Amino acid sequence: MNSNQPQKKKLFKRLLFFAKPYRKYLLLSLISVLLLSIPGPLRPLLIGRMVDKYIVQSQNPSMLLWWSLLLLCVMVLEGFLQLISSYFSNLLAQSVIRDLRKKIIEHFLRLRMSYFDKNPVGAMVARVVSAMEAITEVFSSGIMEIISDCFSLIFILVLMFMNNWELAWMTLVPIPFLLLATRIFAKSMKDSFQKERLAVTKLNTFVQERLSGMSVVQLFNREREEYKRFEKINEGHKQAHIQAVWANSIFFPVVEILSSLSVAFLLVWGALHVSGKTSDEIRSMYGEVFAFTLWINQLYRPIRQLADKFNILQRGTVRAERVFDVLDEHADLQESGTLTNVDFAQPVCFDNVCFSYVEGSPVLKNVHLTIQHGETVAFVGATGAGKTSIVNLLGRFYEHDSGTISIGSVPIQEIKLTELRKNIAIVLQDVFLFSGTIFSNITLGDTQFTQADVETAAKAVGAHDFIMKLPGNYQHEIGERGGMLSVGQRQLIAFIRAYIYAPQILILDEATSNVDSESEQLIQRATEKITSGRTSIVIAHRLSTIQKADRIVVMEKGEIVEIGNHQELLQLENGYYKRLYDRQFFNQNE
């Protein structure tokens, strides 16, 4: 446990760093919690004096009303300070979490695709949502309340010793046992929070993936098996929480027992001091005993709450560690480059480019290719030949291992990432559409495009007619991932999106592989329209869609094996492209 203390302190300091811009909220919260530690312990003192003077001794009973009003004022002040403290501590917490969420989302947006390949979506969602909620509690009900409780404890002890130091020592006899129990409880809770964090991540990941892939689950009749797997994960989640509940179930009864022991010692002290005293002297002890009884309750309540708040700190620190793990991930960051005035109307050059997703398993080997500006180049080859990897490297979704990829004479690593991607548009085989309207999915929230711009682009691509038949037209809600549209319609939306951004380099990654013949004809016409006058890279399984390409690059096992136009490649005896074409032609005729 001690070996982790420096790490915990470091994490805590990093959390406090995010509160730096909100010093005003922090200061107001601190002042209010410090003031809040005074009224509570004063109440037993006032009540004790009222009991002694105006109830037991009946000194000027009319003053009882004024003392009651004074007590009421103290309680109102305490309530007001609680309101101020709660408001500013929560304002501080929400401000910090807002900044932290912005920071982690900004960081996610800068990470390479390799990071998302290695990390489940559910785990990342947990870090942005549930982890942040735990961190919020650190500021809203953790730090400030711990400070308030500590000062309350100090003030209570001062008042107890000022009133009767012997009685104070008697009532504090069980406190060392309470501190020991608190330490054991805190260690147990730390272990349970670690298990809980892992269980939450596992549960989020499972639910996210199964909901996204529900069609596969149902298609292969895996509902019962997936339900059983969920039951197992859910049981682990329950057990992780039960461990925390078990520790609480033991700790809080222990606190109550020790609190009762303090009251018992108070009674013992009273019994020992009663003998030999007159009735007036005994009555003079009533107020003091009454005050100490209330102070004992107040003394144990902060100590018990300190354990709770310590748990909140531990939970928040554990979750913060997961968040900072992401923010500290620099190996997968995409370095942006600095150049912004690059002329993209130049050749795209691949010079001896090598690349591997996993070290030691090359996907591309010494690729050497120059694509002239305005040229349409198609890539064909078996699955895993490296076609899509070419696209990923050009868009810098991944970084190549060696060689050079350049626009003209400028390596793409030197080009600012936003500038590079502004000039490249990609239409993928599996089009991703967001929940929202057709218009918002085409413009992606870019306010520079008007309704007229979108309609003009849709007409050019040949998609305007089908959009106008939908309810709401361009404002039609398409559902999550475009589930309300057909595959061909989703592809056409992606073509409009690419066309309206007017990229210098266009990439079509198997854009017609999953569509019907009618949609394919529309997409073919759209392809001819948007590839005109710009550098175009087309990846296709259907060779019929690339016969008009200026050049066809044939790839096999990460290497370029043939280059030429359709007719040239067909004339190669036993050529890879010719065999592939004959096989597809034969299958179609069958």
Side-chain angles (χ1 to χ4, degrees), residues 379-385 387 540-541 543 553-556 576 580:
F379 286 80
V380 300
T383 301
K387 307 183 298 298
H541 278 305
L543 302 186
V553 177
V554 184
M555 299 193 68
E556 184 177 15
Y576 187 97
L580 192 61

Side-chain angles (χ1 to χ4, degrees), residues 187-205:
K187 186 178 184 306
S188 175
M189 291 305 294
K190 179 188 174 184
D191 295 338
S192 70
F193 289 148
Q194 293 282 3
K195 292 178 181 178
E196 178 191 342
R197 184 203 74 195
L198 295 174
V200 167
T201 299
K202 203 171 183 180
L203 186 65
N204 284 342
T205 300

Side-chain angles (χ1 to χ4, degrees), residues 175-185:
I175 292 296
F177 299 99
L178 178 61
L179 296 177
L180 177 62
T182 302
R183 184 177 179 83
I184 296 171
F185 173 69

